[in-house]
Amino acid sequence: MSQAVLKVANVSKRFGGLQALSEVGITIMPGQVYGLIGPNGAGKTTFFNVITGLYTPDSGSFELGGAPYVPTAVHEVAKAGIARTFQNIRLFAEMTALENVMVGRHVRSGSGLIGAILRTKHFLAEEAAIARRAQELLDYVGIGRYSEYKARTLSYGDQRRLEIARALATDPKLIALDEPAAGMNATEKVVLRELIDRIRKDGRTILLIEHDVKLVMGLCDRVTVLDYGKQIAEGTPYDVQRDEKVIEAYLGAGHKAH
């Protein structure tokens, strides 16, 4: 049996008097798209932020690729192999699309500060390779023609794709997408779905938080549902959609499994 890409168990997190998470856990296997859903205030973003190092959990255990890891800082989590996007786009607005992706790639670079200052032969060669890889990733997500455009000039949907390209540039074991379809129109969502599906088919593993239930159920292999910081269901999209607790808490009585 293959090794889980990410295994998280018994995660709890309290903010003052609010118990945001209570013993939540997920196991994501290689090549899966794993969905995390629930109503507003369910704890999805808190759980996501704990996994990716933005919040420190009160308790819980974490394994990435079978090895323990401690999500204490975002840059350390990125080095360990988890790359994320954000619900509110966080690009370097005045940098070009290419430069934004190169920033992501620098997590894996080896020249260091001295090489950058002295502009050594090794540094220049590595920078050229990073630029080539960044262009490949822009082409991959479908915005290669905008490589020299400043990030702020791109359309909303293209900025989302640029964030995904930057995350892929870190060569992650797991790419974590925080509501990538938020604010997208129907056409942009179709393009996004095709991109996520392509990333999965190319062997990547994806954790997806998303409010668009149709998108989640159409893409994900397994889904966890949170409500008031507790895990109320976990399983295939088909099973989750039929779960009475999920229907009551989130999907509504009119929802039917497909």
Side-chain angles (χ1 to χ4, degrees), residues 78 81-83 104-105 108 133 137 166-174 204:
I82 297 178
R105 189 67 186 164
R108 301 287 175 230
R133 180 58 179 153
L137 287 167
R166 186 175 63 182
L168 287 170
T170 68
D171 275 343
K173 295 183 178 76
L174 176 74
R204 298 285 184 186

Side-chain angles (χ1 to χ4, degrees), residues 98-120:
L98 186 73
E99 289 167 340
N100 268 274
V101 181
M102 288 178 70
V103 167
R105 189 67 186 164
H106 280 132
V107 170
R108 301 287 175 230
S109 66
S111 290
L113 182 61
I114 300 299
I117 292 171
L118 299 178
R119 299 188 69 76
T120 62

Side-chain angles (χ1 to χ4, degrees), residues 177-192:
L177 305 177
D178 188 357
E179 300 208 18
M184 283 189 171
N185 61 38
T187 303
E188 289 170 333
K189 284 182 181 180
V190 170
V191 173
L192 175 69

